[in-house]
Amino acid sequence: MARKAQIGVYGLGTMGSALALNMAEQGIEVAVSNREVDWIGAFLSEAGSLAGHLHPHETLEGFVDDLAQPRVILFMIPSGAPMDAMIEAVAPLLAPGDTIIDGGNADFHATRRRSADLARRDIHFVGMGVSGGEAGARHGPSMMVGGTDHSWQQLKPILTAIAARYEGDPCVAHLGPDGAGHFVKTVHNGIEYADMQVIAEIYGLMRYGLVRDPHSIGEVFARWNNGPLRSYLVEITGKALGYDDPATGHPAVDVIKDAAGQKGTGRWTVIEAVRLGQSASMIDAAVAARSWSSEKNTRVQAEAILGGDRSVLDLGEDVLENAFLAARILSYAQGFRILDAASAAYDWTLDFARIAEIWRAGCIIRSALLDDISEAFGADMTGGQLILAPAMAAQLERTIPALRRVLAAAIAGGHAVPAMAAAIGWYDTMRQGRGTADIIQAQRDFFGHHGYERLGEDGVHHGPWWE
Ligand code: 6PG
């Protein structure tokens, strides 16, 4: 009898095919299938010599039948309704103990619902965040795994074999039950949005404030990529700024319409932060900036009415570099704060040091800073408050003055810096033991008799404004 496949990959789009090839390269026997069956042949031709480890199937029944039991099936299909339809189609073919994985970017509430529904049928459902784009999936992604321990034992050897490695450590971990993996991936993407927005703001300050050309700005990013800002996003930004458009000969960035797309994970992060009683203001600013960017016509009209002047700035590269680093630390800090809140709300006991570790390679936000963050969380830091970690506080003390200088110049000069401005607003709020919410409480009690707490006293108090 032919050897059964160790895993099935259903969905041979960009990410699914890259993951299947990565597995085949590790010698793993992979059953593959796709809704549009004509994709399967094309995929096998692309696989070349790796096709020997790939078992193609045109029917779902044949695909499921080819899997060693208990079965593991990775679905790489669009999230939402297609995933629910797929579950309905495949579940009757499965047996107790089998595991279905959703490797797409899914809303973790849907993952929790699907896990609970399938658990009633003794089928395990894993929400797994996969980061790193096509190249990551093909040569080593970072993977954030939810679901049961049973599924993790099934998946661990395969995922460990295909994961990115940071100094030998595979960038994959079982982070918690049900939706934990998808939630951590969502916050990863929120941080990704904030970091990309900060990069865009710093680029804008160099481009329109320092009046430098894209190529020379690209060189600055390339230099920064050798220092504390080293990261995949800084690296690709530097490279992107070095390209010219073949059709016009202009810098490529100059022919791209300044309207950013978004598929929803940044927005989910903001929504969940608010639901959890938090506010990830930098991620919110990044999502907002993408939304505002898509109002291109309004912006063009407003420039004529409101004036689009931006003054020339006098800022050195080192000041911008430190401002960027401060903002980056604060965006990670906001992201981990949401993870901390979710961990408590959903009883996940997320391991923040491990999350930082598996983000050090393979994923889109991989950066030198994550090494410092994993150490900070590992050094007996209780809670998810990164700004309280001594190593992070020291880096902030060194870099915050630059963020203040850059923001003061940018705001006075009319440059848009919403994410960096959100960063300093949050930082200054959090570093003051006595804030100004006392007057908010006074107002609430004055107009609505909502009551307030007195310092050092129990109970709810009112007045004296009633006399
Ligand atoms: C990753 C990316 C990936 C994708 C997101 C963001 O970790 O590999 O985050 O999941 O780029 O979908 O997409 P949008 O910018 O379109 O929301």
Side-chain angles (χ1 to χ4, degrees), residues 168 170 269 273 281 308 347 355 379 447:
T269 312
S281 57
D347 218 3
I355 292 169
F447 65 63

Side-chain angles (χ1 to χ4, degrees), residues 105 130-133 185 188-189 192-193 261-265 290 364:
N105 282 328
V130 180
S131 181
K185 175 59 166 61
H188 164 284
N189 282 25
E192 173 185 305
Y193 272 53
Q262 48 181 324
K263 297 200 196 81
T265 44
R290 289 199 193 187
I364 302 295

Side-chain angles (χ1 to χ4, degrees), residues 21-40:
L21 292 176
N22 185 346
M23 290 172 191
E25 196 161 64
Q26 300 305 321
I28 295 164
E29 297 297 311
V30 191
V32 291
S33 191
N34 194 70
R35 193 165 69 102
E36 295 84 2
V37 289
D38 50 326
W39 291 24
I40 302 172

